[in-house]
Amino acid sequence: MKDTFEFADMKSIARDKLGDQVPLELFRTIRLIGMYQALPMGGKSTTATIGRKIGESLPVSSVEDILRMFEELKIGIPSIVHQDEKGMRIAVDDCFCEGLPVLEGKMVCDLEGAILEGALHRVTGRAARVREVKCNVSGDDRCEYEVRYGV
């Protein structure tokens, strides 16, 4: 008998009537009211830990796989807008936060950045630090992450 879940287990869905989808409103509520507002420091340490664990568990073997998985999971539509030996910058269009009211200076997509961080560590074997530098909620036109290796 298992005592932990793996990413592959998440595809085992047996909901005859409601199927495999939940509303974006529920996800937003869990993230932005349940975690962001209810936990200390906006839940940053919790989302970082959770996101890295999720990223490390994804069935990916390349950066391209990570970007494809981000879109398949409907996290957003990612693209690399800059890349060099030190890291990269990843823009995410159609992010889960798009359409929410603007709260100037707020960055709320740290879970997604931590997922990227965990997945990048998995596929590159290099320590990576991912930091959200743009967010729709902050008034930016898209979410964007700065990735730095070896930090």
Side-chain angles (χ1 to χ4, degrees):
M1 174 168 250
K2 292 178 75 151
D3 62 349
T4 62
F5 292 109
E6 298 172 12
F7 184 80
D9 298 326
M10 300 303 114
K11 291 190 173 262
S12 298
I13 300 167
R15 293 179 5 148
D16 293 333
K17 293 183 181 176
L18 296 178
D20 65 351
Q21 302 290 309
V22 295
L24 183 57
E25 301 91 290
L26 176 60
F27 179 75
R28 284 175 164 181
T29 301
I30 292 166
R31 284 285 317 288
L32 300 177
I33 296 174
M35 294 175 75
Y36 188 73
Q37 292 178 16
L39 294 174
M41 296 173 31
K44 296 269 188 230
S45 62
T46 301
T47 54
T49 301
I50 291 168
R52 286 184 196 116
K53 188 71 172 172
I54 291 169
E56 290 168 358
S57 75
L58 293 177
V60 293
S61 58
S62 69
V63 172
E64 293 76 21
D65 285 349
I66 296 169
L67 301 181
R68 195 170 19 263
M69 180 67 70
F70 235 65
E71 191 165 348
E72 281 177 23
L73 293 174
K74 299 185 181 197
I75 294 170
I77 303 170
S79 60
I80 297 171
V81 294
H82 174 78
Q83 190 169 11
D84 61 28
E85 65 282 345
K86 294 178 185 175
M88 67 180 92
R89 206 160 177 127
I90 299 174
V92 178
D93 290 302
D94 215 14
C95 184
F96 93 96
C97 71
E98 196 159 328
L100 287 170
V102 171
L103 303 174
E104 287 192 35
K106 297 289 184 184
M107 304 279 185
V108 299
C109 300
D110 50 302
L111 175 69
E112 294 72 18
I115 291 170
L116 280 171
E117 190 172 299
L120 286 165
H121 181 259
R122 175 189 171 119
V123 303
T124 67
R126 298 168 69 187
R129 210 38 86 210
V130 176
R131 183 173 65 95
E132 184 180 20
V133 294
K134 289 185 179 181
C135 186
N136 289 299
V137 169
S138 188
D140 296 308
D141 61 343
R142 63 185 180 194
C143 295
E144 202 166 295
Y145 300 92
E146 182 179 84
V147 178
R148 290 282 165 233
Y149 291 116
V151 289

